[in-house]
């Protein structure tokens, strides 16, 4: 390798420090990974280390509602993990896609155009970024359950009720779209902010050349700008997905039995008196799989995205 | 270019109008969504904070009580406790993370093999769900089967009541584990984008490593460090899930940060008005902090400019 020759010789202490740091950041995750393959007896007896018989029983218990076969160790499938996993996937993927499309258009407008109201909009976007989800809990709970409902007596309401079932008013709360809406709104300021720093770097001359060739503003945006900010889009997508995938509080306020996401399931199981460590760790591991995959395969994009806002902007 | 000619071409006015509309077209979807699902709810919450309101009522049925919720909270010792716990949590976390993160970055800012790997592994804690982070640490803090106490026991040391007596400390440690890498990665990026010439000049002038760090690296990194610190501080006020899973705010109120108290007031005590007033207090706190931070940045920039102007005047 060419590049390996560029490294200077360093004091071994630095390598020891780095190894310790890697161990500290990965250790807890590895511990959860190992424990998810242990039976509760093994976890509690505290025979720490690697001397145990690995079993996938915890994962079977967690996924009992989607696995096609019956399990010997389980009489009744109480944990509806599979369904929650699908809900999480639907909500995270759709909200990420929407946030990205809407967000990059807005970021483009804010960077490339001078227009009335640009500064107030820019400032508002920056300000709402700091609003904690907990602050949105009360209004979202109230609005999604009451105001953002279609009255059962109205034409559309009656139509939706007849088509999809249900008794009362048709509300956003308890639906996938209700959770998706708040996630998109919550992530937009962040995505707009991060993409701005990428769009600024697109050379103006390229856009002007395209415009001279007769492309309209939307043509310029989709054919010139978007392909050039792909790394930024990737980073923004990962961050948005991460929040939508991991969020607990608002999802727990808005979801009902059928739209529960995985974090809700985990918290509910943790607050029980007798924690089944093995199964919980297996569900935690399953929830952590997408983030781990992103980390391993897109770490460069994540780091660029993280530094784009703070270091360059 | 050819303004006089284009004026004669029909349809140009319409095209100009369309051009003027373009930014609004690009902005429209984002604006609509943020208005409906972010700004309107915030206004709704501000109005709701003046109401005696429980979840079974719609907002129109709730009684208007003026500043009663705010006054009640102002005099509520439990709220004070939560407020202080929140501040303590945020400031201890952020300052420890800043010191360790920047320190590690300064230490490891060298041409060393394995840096990419370290950075990759360092992202992991940030990416994993807070709920899962809480779950891992709750296991490790467990009084009997937990990793820490078992290690202490096997070393013959007394065990520690992590989530009981030292709950706040334990919660802070978990947060430091999760977020120090964020500061490390940002400050490392800042360090590596510093102008090489300034560092080179200092080295030639015989500045020691400490002098280089204090008089050149840190001042040059300052803008990035301030932004990083601000981002981290804002995030520290958003933390909820890790604490919820680890301690549920207990024992007593020792780890009940404001975000957690808001959610409990709304869902357990069913006092939406009070929860809304609490949310407003939290927002005000955040606004003050961000404002102070911005003012500080401005002041520092102004001072730097003045110094530079003075230096140029001397020449």
């Amino acid at each position: 390798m060419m590049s390996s020759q560029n490294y200077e010789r360093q004091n071994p202490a630095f390598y020891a420090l780095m190894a310790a740091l890697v161990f500290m950041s990965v250790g807890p995750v590895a511990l959860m990974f190992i424990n998810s393959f242990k039976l509760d007896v093994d976890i509690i007896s505290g025979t720490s280390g690697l001397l145990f018989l690995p079993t996938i029983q915890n994962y079977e218990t967690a996924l009992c509602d989607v696995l096609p076969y019956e399990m010997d160790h389980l009489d009744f499938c109480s944990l509806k993990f599979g369904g929650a996993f699908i809900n999480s996937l639907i909500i995270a993927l759709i909200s990420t896609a929407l946030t990205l499309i809407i967000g990059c258009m807005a970021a483009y407008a804010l960077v490339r155009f001078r227009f009335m109201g640009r500064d107030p909009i820019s400032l508002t976007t920056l300000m709402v970024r700091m609003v904690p989800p907990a602050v949105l809990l009360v209004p979202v709970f109230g609005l999604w359950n009451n105001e953002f409902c279609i009255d059962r007596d109205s034409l559309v309401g009656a139509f939706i009720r007849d088509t999809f079932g249900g008794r009362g008013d048709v509300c956003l709360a308890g639906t996938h779209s209700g959770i998706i809406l708040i996630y998109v709104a919550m992530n937009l300021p962040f995505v707009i902010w991060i993409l701005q720093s990428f769009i600024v770097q697109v050379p103006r001359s390229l856009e002007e050349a395209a415009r001279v060739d007769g492309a309209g503003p939307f043509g310029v945006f989709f054919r010139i700008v978007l392909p050039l900010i792909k790394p930024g889009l990737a980073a923004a997508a990962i961050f948005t997905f991460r929040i939508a995938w991991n969020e607990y509080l608002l999802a727990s306020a808005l979801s009902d039995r059928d739209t529960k996401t995985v974090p809700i399931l985990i918290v509910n199981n943790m607050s029980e008196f007798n924690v089944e460590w093995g199964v919980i760790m297996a569900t935690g591991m399953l929830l952590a799989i997408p983030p781990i995959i992103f980390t391993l395969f897109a770490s460069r994009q994540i780091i660029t995205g993280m530094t784009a806002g703070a270091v360059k902007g | 270019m050819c303004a006089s000619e284009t004026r004669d071409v029909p349809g140009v006015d319409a095209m100009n109008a369309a051009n003027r509309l373009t930014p609004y077209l690009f902005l429209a979807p984002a604006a609509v969504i943020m208005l409906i699902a972010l700004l309107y709810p915030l206004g709704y919450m501000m109005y709701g904070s003046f109401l005696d309101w429980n979840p079974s009522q719609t907002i129109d049925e709730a009684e208007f009580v003026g500043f009663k919720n705010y006054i009640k909270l102002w005099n509520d010792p439990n709220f004070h406790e939560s407020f202080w716990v929140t501040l303590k949590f945020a400031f201890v976390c952020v300052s420890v993370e800043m010191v360790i993160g920047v320190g590690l970055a300064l230490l490891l800012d060298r041409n060393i093999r394995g840096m990419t790997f370290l950075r990759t592994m360092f992202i992991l804690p940030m990416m994993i769900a807070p709920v899962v982070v809480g779950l891992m640490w709750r296991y490790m803090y467990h009084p009997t089967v937990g990793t820490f106490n078992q290690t202490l026991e096997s070393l013959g040391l007394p065990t520690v009541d992590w989530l009981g007596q030292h709950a706040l400390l334990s919660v802070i440690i978990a947060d430091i584990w999760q977020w120090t890498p964020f500061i490390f990665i940002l400050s490392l990026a800042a360090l590596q984008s510093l102008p090489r010439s300034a560092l080179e000049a200092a080295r030639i002038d015989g500045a020691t490593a400490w002098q280089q760090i204090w008089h050149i690296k840190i001042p040059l990194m300052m803008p990035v460090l301030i932004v990083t610190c601000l981002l981290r501080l804002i995030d520290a006020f958003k933390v909820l899930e890790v604490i919820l899973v680890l301690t549920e705010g207990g024992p007593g109120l020792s780890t009940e940060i404001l975000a957690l108290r808001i959610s409990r007031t709304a869902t357990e005590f069913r006092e939406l008005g009070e929860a809304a007033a609490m949310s407003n207090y939290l927002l005000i706190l955040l606004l003050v902090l961000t404002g102070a931070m911005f003012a500080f940045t401005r002041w520092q920039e102004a001072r730097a400019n003045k110094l530079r102007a003075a230096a140029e005047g001397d020449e």
Side-chain angles (χ1 to χ4, degrees), chain A residues 6 14 24-25 31 35 102 115-116 127 129-130 139 185 217 238 242 246 248 270 280-281 295 299 306-307, chain B residues 22-24 27 30 38 41 110-111 120 126-127 129 135 138-139 147 177 186 189 231 238 241 244 287 290:
Chain A
N6 296 333
F14 287 115
M24 281 201 299
S25 65
L31 192 70
N35 274 333
I102 297 170
F115 56 90
M116 221 177 70
M127 294 289 276
R129 225 176 88 79
M130 67 175 202
I238 293 173
R242 170 187 143 242
N246 293 345
Y248 160 78
M270 285 298 284
I280 284 279
M281 298 245 179
T295 310
S299 63
M306 255 178 7
T307 47
Chain B
T22 314
Y24 296 105
L27 265 179
L38 219 51
R110 51 191 73 230
N111 200 358
T120 305
M126 286 182 264
M127 298 298 289
L135 153 74
R138 181 151 154 198
Y139 169 73
T147 319
W177 172 79
L186 287 193
L231 289 177
K238 292 185 181 172
E241 284 108 327
L244 177 74
L287 262 180
T290 346

Side-chain angles (χ1 to χ4, degrees), chain B residues 42-219:
Chain B
L42 283 175
Y44 187 85
M45 176 205 63
M46 304 212 175
Y47 174 60
S49 65
F50 298 110
L51 303 174
D52 182 11
W53 182 21
N54 76 54
S56 56
Q57 296 169 306
T58 66
I59 196 161
D60 302 322
E61 292 161 8
E63 192 194 342
F64 188 84
V65 292
F67 281 95
K68 199 178 139 218
N69 291 322
Y70 289 94
I71 296 166
K72 189 181 161 202
L73 286 173
W74 190 260
N75 297 318
D76 181 1
N78 290 344
F79 177 69
H80 293 177
E81 179 74 28
S82 279
F83 197 82
W84 285 121
V85 169
T86 312
L87 283 180
K88 238 190 285 176
F89 173 79
F91 281 102
V92 173
C93 282
V94 174
S95 32
V96 175
E97 284 162 17
M98 286 299 285
V99 171
I100 302 181
V102 175
L104 282 176
L106 287 168
L107 199 62
L108 292 173
D109 174 32
R110 51 191 73 230
N111 200 358
I112 192 166
R113 191 191 285 259
M115 206 53 209
T116 324
F117 179 70
L118 173 69
R119 279 197 296 191
T120 305
M121 290 300 122
F122 250 29
I123 308 173
L124 199 59
M126 286 182 264
M127 298 298 289
I128 287 180
V131 169
V132 178
V133 171
L135 153 74
M136 295 183 309
W137 284 83
R138 181 151 154 198
Y139 169 73
M140 293 195 290
Y141 282 140
H142 194 281
T144 49
V145 305
T147 319
F148 292 134
N149 275 356
Q150 288 213 336
T151 316
L152 286 176
E153 218 163 70
S154 63
L155 293 174
L157 295 167
T159 59
V160 177
D161 186 12
W162 293 102
L163 293 176
Q165 251 179 311
H166 306 286
L168 188 59
L169 180 72
S170 308
V171 169
I172 289 175
I173 292 176
D175 193 80
I176 291 173
W177 172 79
Q178 199 184 3
W179 287 105
T180 303
F182 176 75
I183 290 164
F184 170 76
I185 287 173
L186 287 193
S187 17
L188 193 66
L191 268 175
Q192 290 175 343
S193 66
L194 291 187
R196 290 286 138 196
S197 55
L199 297 176
E200 209 59 48
R203 207 169 302 145
I204 290 166
D205 286 349
T208 63
W210 277 113
Q211 284 171 331
Q212 284 183 37
I213 289 175
W214 279 118
H215 297 296
I216 297 170
K217 289 183 181 170
I218 299 247

Side-chain angles (χ1 to χ4, degrees), chain A residues 15-304:
Chain A
Y15 293 103
L17 174 67
M18 282 169 71
L21 289 174
V22 169
F23 174 76
M24 281 201 299
S25 65
V26 180
V29 186
L31 192 70
M32 177 172 73
F33 181 72
I34 293 169
N35 274 333
S36 69
F37 289 100
K38 281 184 188 174
L39 291 177
D40 275 1
V41 201
D42 287 327
I43 297 176
I44 289 168
S45 71
T47 45
S48 52
L50 301 164
L51 287 172
F52 66 96
L53 205 61
T55 165
I56 57 163
Q57 193 180 308
N58 293 326
Y59 287 92
E60 285 180 327
T61 312
L63 293 169
C64 58
D65 62 332
V66 282
L67 287 179
Y69 53 90
E70 299 267 312
M71 270 143 268
D72 303 332
H73 65 274
L74 212 64
D75 317 322
F76 175 67
C77 181
S78 56
L79 201 64
K80 301 270 184 286
F81 183 86
F85 198 81
I86 292 165
N87 284 333
S88 273
L89 263 186
I90 293 174
I91 290 169
L93 287 177
I94 296 181
S95 65
T96 306
L98 284 177
T99 318
L100 272 195
I101 297 168
I102 297 170
C104 65
M105 282 166 60
Y108 182 64
L110 287 175
V111 171
R112 277 295 189 256
F113 295 94
R114 311 260 151 238
F115 56 90
M116 221 177 70
R118 178 173 172 275
D119 293 336
I121 292 175
S122 210
L123 190 69
T124 317
T125 318
L126 211 66
M127 294 289 276
V128 287
R129 225 176 88 79
M130 67 175 202
V131 173
V135 167
L136 291 172
L137 181 70
V138 173
V140 161
F141 183 81
L143 285 171
W144 267 235
N145 274 308
N146 298 309
E147 320 272 301
F148 289 178
C149 290
I150 302 167
D151 197 7
R152 92 184 90 184
D153 300 324
S154 73
L155 195 66
V156 191
F159 169 74
I160 295 177
R161 201 178 66 249
D162 293 342
T163 328
F164 299 103
R167 280 173 286 112
D169 298 350
V170 183
C171 285
L172 266 181
T175 63
H176 288 130
S177 14
I179 305 177
I180 290 171
L181 176 65
I182 187 63
Y183 283 176
V184 172
M186 220 168 62
N187 280 320
L188 265 180
F190 172 72
V191 166
I192 292 174
W193 181 71
I194 209 170
L195 286 181
Q196 274 181 330
S197 63
F198 283 92
I199 293 176
V200 166
Q201 293 171 29
V202 175
R204 245 168 202 274
S205 52
L206 272 182
E207 288 174 55
E208 266 147 29
R211 206 160 293 158
V212 169
D213 288 347
F218 283 91
V220 171
F221 176 66
F222 283 108
R223 275 190 243 124
I224 311 290
V225 178
L226 275 195
L228 284 174
I229 58 165
K230 262 187 203 154
L233 287 175
I238 293 173
F239 289 123
T240 320
F241 182 88
R242 170 187 143 242
I243 294 180
W245 180 256
N246 293 345
E247 211 276 340
Y248 160 78
L249 184 69
L250 292 170
S252 80
L254 290 179
S255 67
D256 63 9
R257 210 160 36 87
D258 299 322
T259 47
K260 259 189 201 157
T261 57
V262 179
I264 303 174
L265 203 90
I266 293 181
V267 172
N268 287 351
N269 279 298
M270 285 298 284
S271 43
E272 274 166 26
F273 180 68
N274 210 346
V275 178
E276 288 177 38
W277 283 110
V279 179
I280 284 279
M281 298 245 179
T283 53
M285 211 51 222
L286 288 170
L287 183 67
I289 284 175
I292 291 177
I293 291 176
F294 284 139
T295 310
L296 295 183
F297 293 102
S299 63
R300 185 175 303 173
Q301 278 80 359
I302 296 173
I303 291 173
T304 339

